[in-house]
Amino acid sequence: MSKGLLFSIEEFALNDGPGIRTTVFLKGCPLRCAWCHNPEGWLPEPQLMRKKERTETCGFEMEASDLAARLLRDRDLFAQSGGGVTFTGGEPLMQGPFLLETMALLQDVHTAVETCGHAPEPLFRQVAEAAGLILFDIKLADPGLHRRWTGVDNVLILRNLAALKACGTPFVARVPLIPGVNDSVENMRATASLLEDAPSLQRVELLRYHKTAGAKYPMLGLDYRPGFDTEALPQVHDCFTEKGMKLLIL
Amino acid sequence: MTERIEKLRAFLRGGGHHRFRRTPEELGLDGLSARFAAECLPDVERSARMLEALLAAEQPVILEGERIVATRTISRIPSVFTDAEWAEIKAAHTLHERGTVSNISADYEGILRDGLGARRAQIATRLEDPGLDEDGRRFLKAADDCITALQGFIARYEDCARANGLDEVAEVLRVIRSEAPQTLHQALQLLRMVHFTLWESDCYHNTLGRFDQYIYPFYEADLRAGRLDRDGAADLITEFFLTCNKDSDLYVGMQQGDNGQSIVLAGRDADGRYLFNEVSRICLEASYDLNLIDPKINLRVDKDTPLDVFEQGARLTKRGLGFPQYDNDDVVVPGLISLGYAPEDARNYVVAACWEFIIPKNGMEIPNIDALSFAGIVSEAMGHLPDFPDYDALWAWVDGRIKAECRRIASAHDRLYIVPAPFMSVLMGGCIERARDISLGGVYNNYGVHGTGLSTAADSLAAVRKNVYEDKSIGAEELCAALADDFKTRPDLYEKLRFDGPKMGLDDDAVDAVGTALLDSFAEGLKGLRNERGGIWRAGTGTAMYYIFHAKDLPATPDGRHAGEVIPANFTPSMFLRQRGPVSVMRSFSKQHLQDAINGGPLTIELDDSILRNDESVSKLAELIRFFVRRGGHQLQLNTLDKETLLDAKAHPELHRNLIVRVWGWSGYFVELDECYQDHIINRIKYKL
């Protein structure tokens, strides 16, 4: 039985897959996206967060069986609404064995995993096969820009995307819209090309950057200096519906 | 919304009709009570004479584009008694709030079916009874005078309409002056006149009851006869809703906006049919389009209500008006039946000004006459904590004290006086037959008692059980001392109890069961007690404004609450709950035996409306509401965050500790954010980004 490190469990998550879902946030992430709104998800260890009223420890350990039992309490609601559980983070694949074990314990509950795709290929395949839905984040199509804005290039990510397209598990492509970083028509066109020939693609979701992103940095003793104009509104280019893909802008 | 309604809405919102208003002093109506006193006029006659004088002084005003008329032009309703008389009344009696009839639901169905003339005929027949006593005769004459005054008022409006070439309006008014309405237009106009007159007669919190049920026959008849199509009907219903906002700034309640104009949609009948009809749907649409706070909509639902109905409701929730409120027939109807209501009356329940379940036509109930402070009783028990050897002993004391408080409340409301309301009596079941004013009682004369600080009390008892009796991590005297000095010397205990203590709202069976026991004790405590009118006492989960009074002098409590700090309103979790989310809150607050504490009082959940941006999310919210209903929750109110709430939270974080804001992938407690981020969120909500 393995233990996982979580930083939040959120009920009634509305934007993480079908129906009413509970979203589990796993701590630890290989990327450092400049616009990240959950910086408490970066480090794979508990850390202190200084809030106005008191300092709290962010990050708590849970056994897979305890987490599954807790999530299964809502199986009636999941069944009624066609919902389930979504794992996100951080990067949930950073805790692969724990993730797989928990998913197996959830039995008939629909599971979704949101991933940045930066994970060892065999693990990625295993998770993609076990999950009912993958929410696959695509930040930037260009490898150099990807490295500049997230800290890693996207070679592994694109390889896993190809594997995902091939394995047939339904997936949603999620693209954050960051003003001046990836909201150009060129990047959107390139992203749309990456998603071609994928019958299991359910839809593309464009997630508008929100200014609240910086709120948690001071609580962690970090400065939020993302290097782009946070006051600018992101451009929205739909290069997806013309290719027959469904688009949702959040 | 049609262009006509849009124009009318803009005009009314701009207050263009306020210029027609006159004060009672300007109209020479301010001396009436002195004259009544000089004439030694009986109270019921005063009510009728006052209404006659007011309706006669009203100036007919028909606003441009109006098809449903009647605009209040008198700014204030004078009392029928002089100040000196009020002092005498207060010395001899208790009064409820303002002393006039309030918060009941008239038999609109009956008056729309029969018309005003039929009521006068009924009174005339009743007056032929030689066995009538003098009081009965006086009451019946007063009631008849009220109808005559209203008919005169309608006639003056009819003349005004004709003089302005508004033949359609004039014809509608001519019919409803005496006859029963036949068309939707006539029905809504008569309803407007009757509702207007209730306010004019100094009754308040005048609810509108099961609007969709009593209006539907007229809608159906018009459509069948080809007189009207759905759009035409929606236009008229929307206009009627607009009229509820026309004079509402003059409607006295206990606070501004609290005017009690609630309507109740749908519900299930004895044959198991769910009564959501096309008028119900039009009402939800009209309210959505108008985006105004009146009328406040309640939606009667149950476990078999179609998802589509919940979706219609959720869509309106998104508007941010704080309604619809959902009332669960599966809990409310059996609850009312077990309190002794006739099944047909229980199935016909409506909602009073806020949340209390009342019976239209037959109920002269006072569902908000007093409140029991759960938190106050638990706090009092803390004074004896070292004397209790175990939790059972503590609980036995609390249970006994709740029951003693129930008995005290039940004996504290005698000698009640209510100003007669002969016009309201015309609209209430049995008043003409009994020849008695409704202020003296109806078929049901039950009183309701709110219960404040339920979660504060449950969390406190659970914390004591865990820390003092189970883990023995805190000594009884140690806790008493910490509470007595408001945790000043024990910040460690404060932290532990406030943030890590057991709380209702986390789906924790142990603490939720304490909440159940408290409510059970309350319901049992009132069981079998009678009020002076022969009615029963009903326990409830609402708080009204009592939660403020009850918190003010309340010492620190074992849930980590500071002395004087707020307690939650209605049936809601602690302000310091570290929420898991609405699902756990709904689970915790649907475990109690709510059927037995059915006076009313909703679970209130605040939602960030940004999560309701798209249709998918609205459907998911509908599923969540249905989940609560299927779990056996009795009443649910959903608020969406608005700019004002957030500004208030910024200024008074202590009142909004568990206010959560959510953006995709991100959520946080608003009060914990730095100011610049709070401002971002305020702007986001303000501009609906």
Side-chain angles (χ1 to χ4, degrees):
Chain A
M1 186 63 64
S2 54
K3 272 188 179 171
L5 184 68
L6 285 66
F7 66 95
S8 185
I9 300 176
E10 197 163 291
E11 294 175 348
F12 196 51
L14 295 181
N15 297 318
D16 296 330
I20 297 180
R21 311 189 73 80
T22 297
T23 296
V24 179
F25 293 78
L26 300 185
K27 202 158 154 31
C29 186
L31 269 58
R32 291 292 178 270
C33 302
W35 53 85
C36 183
H37 55 232
N38 286 332
E40 75 275 34
W42 290 348
L43 296 181
E45 64 219 30
Q47 62 196 118
L48 293 179
M49 269 182 106
R50 282 188 308 277
K51 301 189 174 174
K52 274 189 182 162
E53 221 169 34
R54 68 169 191 165
T55 297
E56 282 172 11
T57 306
C58 173
F60 54 94
E61 283 196 325
M62 258 183 127
E63 295 271 2
S65 56
D66 292 339
L67 175 58
R70 155 99 189 259
L71 295 168
L72 284 170
R73 286 185 81 121
D74 288 331
R75 67 195 302 175
D76 53 349
L77 176 61
F78 301 149
Q80 179 207 307
S81 68
V85 172
T86 298
F87 295 90
T88 182
E91 168 51 56
L93 271 65
M94 287 271 281
Q95 302 184 51
F98 172 74
L99 175 65
L100 287 165
E101 196 176 334
T102 310
M103 284 166 71
L105 291 169
L106 290 177
Q107 306 156 28
D108 54 343
V109 170
H110 180 268
T111 54
V113 177
E114 179 171 38
T115 176
C116 69
H118 190 81
E121 287 175 73
L123 172 65
F124 183 87
R125 279 173 205 275
Q126 242 182 311
V127 171
E129 274 160 25
L133 176 73
I134 296 290
L135 305 169
F136 196 95
D137 298 354
I138 304 180
K139 273 91 182 186
L140 277 153
D142 179 82
L145 287 174
H146 199 283
R147 174 178 287 283
R148 177 176 159 203
W149 288 105
T150 74
V152 300
D153 68 35
N154 60 359
V155 176
L156 187 52
I157 293 171
L158 296 183
R159 221 179 288 155
N160 280 329
L161 176 60
L164 177 62
K165 284 159 72 172
C167 95
T169 298
F171 76 104
V172 170
R174 307 187 107 179
V175 184
L177 284 183
I178 313 301
V181 173
N182 71 345
D183 58 344
S184 66
V185 69
E186 293 76 22
N187 184 56
M188 289 301 147
R189 253 187 225 134
T191 304
S193 299
L194 291 172
L195 295 169
E196 275 176 318
D197 305 320
S200 54
L201 175 67
Q202 307 290 297
R203 68 178 180 205
V204 177
E205 294 179 358
L206 299 181
L207 314 171
R208 268 181 289 224
Y209 173 76
H210 49 80
K211 293 174 183 171
T212 327
K216 290 171 182 168
Y217 287 74
M219 298 179 190
L220 295 162
L222 300 170
D223 280 338
Y224 183 58
R225 278 192 296 242
F228 58 87
D229 182 3
T230 57
E231 296 300 313
L233 286 176
Q235 306 173 49
V236 180
H237 296 292
D238 173 11
C239 303
F240 304 94
T241 46
E242 65 195 41
K243 290 187 186 286
M245 301 169 197
K246 275 192 209 147
L247 179 70
L248 181 75
I249 302 166
L250 289 176
Chain B
M1 214 169 15
T2 58
E3 199 187 328
R4 176 181 79 90
I5 299 289
E6 244 168 87
K7 274 192 183 157
L8 203 49
R9 182 186 186 283
F11 180 80
L12 293 173
R13 294 295 287 164
H17 57 307
H18 293 180
R19 68 192 161 91
F20 300 109
R21 292 178 181 172
R22 301 287 180 273
T23 63
E25 291 75 15
E26 286 171 302
L27 293 164
L29 296 166
D30 51 327
L32 278 180
S33 59
R35 210 181 310 157
F36 295 161
E39 290 177 35
C40 297
L41 215 57
D43 55 4
V44 71
E45 279 180 38
R46 293 183 183 210
S47 295
R49 289 265 299 269
M50 181 63 82
L51 182 62
E52 283 172 340
L54 289 166
L55 287 176
E58 286 285 0
Q59 170 200 355
V61 169
I62 301 182
L63 306 174
E64 198 185 327
E66 272 192 326
R67 295 174 70 203
I68 300 173
V69 299
T71 296
R72 182 109 150 234
T73 63
I74 301 175
S75 63
R76 191 169 45 77
I77 307 301
S79 173
V80 297
F81 295 115
T82 64
D83 291 347
E85 287 175 312
W86 270 122
E88 275 176 43
I89 293 169
K90 283 177 188 166
H93 296 278
T94 54
L95 295 177
H96 179 63
E97 295 178 354
R98 303 182 57 249
T100 57
V101 168
S102 69
N103 219 15
I104 64 174
S105 195
D107 178 22
Y108 298 110
E109 184 188 346
I111 196 70
L112 295 188
R113 182 190 57 227
D114 301 339
L116 293 172
R119 283 288 178 278
R120 290 200 60 195
Q122 193 188 352
I123 292 171
T125 309
R126 190 72 189 80
L127 275 167
E128 287 166 11
D129 178 358
L132 273 180
D133 60 12
E134 196 187 337
D135 285 346
R137 198 167 293 278
R138 183 180 294 126
F139 159 73
L140 290 170
K141 282 186 173 149
D144 190 57
D145 289 347
C146 289
I147 306 176
T148 313
L150 173 55
Q151 289 180 318
F153 176 74
I154 295 171
R156 288 167 53 231
Y157 258 98
E158 184 191 334
D159 293 345
C160 174
R162 257 190 238 291
N164 286 286
L166 302 168
D167 293 343
E168 185 209 18
V169 174
E171 182 55 18
V172 165
L173 290 162
R174 186 196 64 76
V175 171
I176 62 146
R177 197 178 60 195
S178 192
E179 296 166 33
Q182 302 298 321
T183 68
L184 178 68
H185 192 173
Q186 291 165 4
L188 291 171
Q189 180 64 73
L190 179 56
L191 181 63
R192 170 65 187 157
M193 287 298 180
V194 161
H195 195 231
F196 176 97
T197 306
L198 286 177
W199 288 106
E200 192 90 347
S201 67
D202 211 15
C203 296
Y204 65 100
H205 283 165
N206 296 311
T207 66
L208 283 160
R210 304 185 75 182
F211 179 88
D212 59 343
Q213 304 305 311
Y214 60 73
I215 286 300
Y216 184 76
F218 299 97
Y219 168 85
E220 209 255 329
D222 274 6
L223 258 64
R224 197 156 22 95
R227 285 190 291 261
L228 207 60
D229 59 10
R230 188 189 191 276
D231 286 351
D235 187 55
L236 281 169
I237 289 170
T238 309
E239 183 178 356
F240 179 80
F241 278 19
L242 195 51
T243 67
C244 296
N245 298 276
K246 200 195 292 194
D247 315 317
S248 53
D249 58 315
L250 301 176
Y251 296 168
V252 280
M254 297 313 285
Q255 44 186 324
Q256 190 59 37
D258 165 33
N259 59 41
Q261 299 187 95
S262 65
I263 70 168
V264 179
L265 303 179
R268 201 170 288 277
D269 69 9
D271 302 325
R273 277 181 311 157
Y274 187 59
L275 305 172
F276 187 85
N277 58 39
E278 207 50 32
V279 173
S280 327
R281 196 176 293 277
I282 290 171
C283 287
L284 291 171
E285 289 167 7
S287 185
Y288 184 90
D289 289 345
L290 278 178
N291 199 17
L292 295 172
I293 59 166
D294 282 304
K296 295 164 189 32
I297 294 184
N298 275 266
L299 194 51
R300 282 178 53 175
V301 293
D302 59 31
K303 63 179 176 9
D304 298 319
T305 297
L307 184 63
D308 162 60
V309 172
F310 287 107
E311 283 176 345
Q312 291 290 318
R315 188 169 158 267
L316 185 53
T317 291
K318 204 175 115 175
R319 264 293 191 199
L321 297 162
F323 56 72
Q325 176 167 259
Y326 300 87
D327 309 295
N328 186 358
D329 281 15
D330 292 334
V331 182
V332 179
V333 172
L336 292 173
I337 290 173
S338 68
L339 282 175
Y341 290 87
E344 61 275 19
D345 283 329
R347 273 191 287 272
N348 201 28
Y349 81 86
V350 297
V351 176
C354 302
W355 345 268
E356 302 94 336
F357 304 113
I358 57 171
I359 310 301
K361 178 180 172 183
N362 289 334
M364 176 56 220
E365 322 212 61
I366 307 181
N368 55 346
I369 201 159
D370 210 333
L372 173 135
S373 171
F374 287 114
I377 287 171
V378 168
S379 172
E380 206 184 320
M382 292 305 110
H384 310 280
L385 192 59
D387 305 337
F388 304 129
D390 51 27
Y391 180 75
D392 288 346
L394 164 61
W395 169 252
W397 192 94
V398 170
D399 184 43
R401 192 69 191 75
I402 288 173
K403 285 167 181 156
E405 178 63 2
C406 287
R407 289 190 295 273
R408 187 198 64 77
I409 288 172
S411 62
H413 296 276
D414 283 345
R415 300 179 302 136
L416 186 75
Y417 175 76
I418 304 174
V419 180
F423 184 70
M424 176 66 95
S425 304
V426 167
L427 307 172
M428 293 300 289
C431 287
I432 295 173
E433 291 85 337
R434 290 191 303 273
R436 281 290 178 276
D437 192 272
I438 192 62
S439 61
L440 300 170
V443 175
Y444 299 107
N445 300 289
N446 303 326
Y447 292 171
V449 184
H450 296 309
T452 67
L454 179 74
S455 52
T456 307
D459 298 352
S460 293
L461 286 174
V464 172
R465 181 168 63 189
K466 180 170 181 292
N467 293 294
V468 176
Y469 296 113
E470 287 172 7
D471 305 352
K472 301 191 184 348
S473 59
I474 307 175
E477 273 159 20
E478 185 187 3
L479 179 62
C480 288
L483 296 175
D485 86 336
D486 198 18
F487 301 111
K488 275 190 200 77
T489 55
R490 295 301 302 273
D492 58 320
L493 276 190
Y494 164 77
E495 284 253 325
K496 179 184 166 105
L497 294 167
R498 190 177 179 96
F499 298 111
D500 301 326
K503 301 271 185 277
M504 280 183 82
L506 297 171
D507 190 22
D508 171 346
D509 288 338
V511 54
D512 296 343
V514 179
T516 306
L518 286 164
L519 262 190
D520 284 351
S521 173
F522 184 23
E524 267 172 44
L526 288 176
K527 207 171 189 171
L529 301 177
R530 291 274 162 182
N531 64 41
E532 64 176 348
R533 298 181 161 215
I536 57 157
W537 292 82
R538 318 191 313 184
T541 46
T543 61
M545 299 310 284
Y546 289 101
Y547 77 100
I548 298 191
F549 318 141
H550 287 172
K552 211 168 67 72
D553 298 318
L554 189 65
T557 39
D559 60 337
R561 184 191 135 278
H562 276 305
E565 204 175 354
V566 288
I567 56 176
N570 293 331
F571 190 53
T572 46
S574 157
M575 316 288 274
F576 347 114
L577 173 71
R578 308 302 288 184
Q579 277 197 41
R580 282 181 185 169
V583 180
S584 290
V585 170
M586 284 180 170
R587 284 193 190 279
S588 278
F589 286 81
S590 54
K591 291 176 188 172
Q592 294 69 33
H593 306 129
L594 293 163
Q595 217 169 292
D596 301 331
I598 206 65
N599 191 56
L603 168 64
T604 305
I605 291 181
E606 218 141 69
L607 294 168
D608 183 336
D609 75 339
S610 68
I611 62 174
L612 297 177
R613 247 349 109 61
N614 51 51
D615 292 346
E616 259 180 39
S617 307
V618 170
S619 300
K620 289 176 186 181
L621 178 61
E623 286 284 13
L624 184 73
I625 300 161
R626 178 152 81 163
F627 168 75
F628 176 72
V629 169
R630 289 184 172 178
R631 290 266 316 155
H634 65 328
Q635 199 172 31
L636 178 67
Q637 189 188 15
L638 296 167
N639 294 329
T640 54
L641 290 184
D642 54 21
K643 195 190 71 178
E644 281 65 38
T645 310
L646 293 172
L647 287 173
D648 193 56
K650 196 177 154 185
H652 306 286
E654 68 283 1
L655 299 174
H656 300 272
R657 289 195 194 285
N658 51 15
L659 195 150
I660 291 179
V661 286
R662 294 168 79 167
V663 189
W664 58 266
W666 185 97
S667 73
Y669 285 93
F670 181 80
V671 299
E672 289 178 349
L673 303 177
D674 284 343
E675 194 178 353
C676 63
Y677 294 107
Q678 291 186 336
D679 291 342
H680 280 322
I681 289 164
I682 290 167
N683 285 330
R684 179 173 66 81
I685 300 266
K686 183 167 147 196
Y687 299 114
K688 301 263 173 201
L689 294 175

